[in-house]
Amino acid sequence: MGAAKIIGVLLIVAGVAGLIYGSFSYTRETHEAKLGPFQFSIKEKETVAIPIWISVAAIAAGTILLVTNRKR
């Protein structure tokens, strides 16, 4: 399996995952304080939305890579 086929399949999988889930969340620490033996930290939950057009573009690009690689 060539590199173009692998990249094509990965793009299709990422595009489908983007369409299914639509967004992902992660937690990041923003502030931290240490007062003697006590330690305080603030964690914020961030959510990133994945636009539908990016998912569709990834699926299309992966399909194009697979189709053009098949002809060779």
Side-chain angles (χ1 to χ4, degrees):
M1 190 180 255
K5 281 187 180 182
I6 293 172
I7 293 171
V9 170
L10 289 176
L11 281 171
I12 292 171
V13 169
V16 170
L19 287 175
I20 291 173
Y21 292 110
S23 65
F24 64 93
S25 300
Y26 65 95
T27 305
R28 68 177 187 156
E29 290 188 24
T30 56
H31 301 290
E32 195 171 307
K34 195 170 190 181
L35 298 169
F38 300 106
Q39 185 174 358
F40 302 99
S41 65
I42 297 175
K43 296 180 180 179
E44 292 183 7
K45 186 175 182 181
E46 300 282 335
T47 302
V48 178
I50 302 170
I52 293 175
W53 66 270
I54 290 179
S55 299
V56 172
I59 293 171
T63 304
I64 290 169
L65 278 176
L66 289 178
V67 169
T68 58
N69 195 23
R70 182 181 292 177
K71 293 179 181 179
R72 293 181 184 176

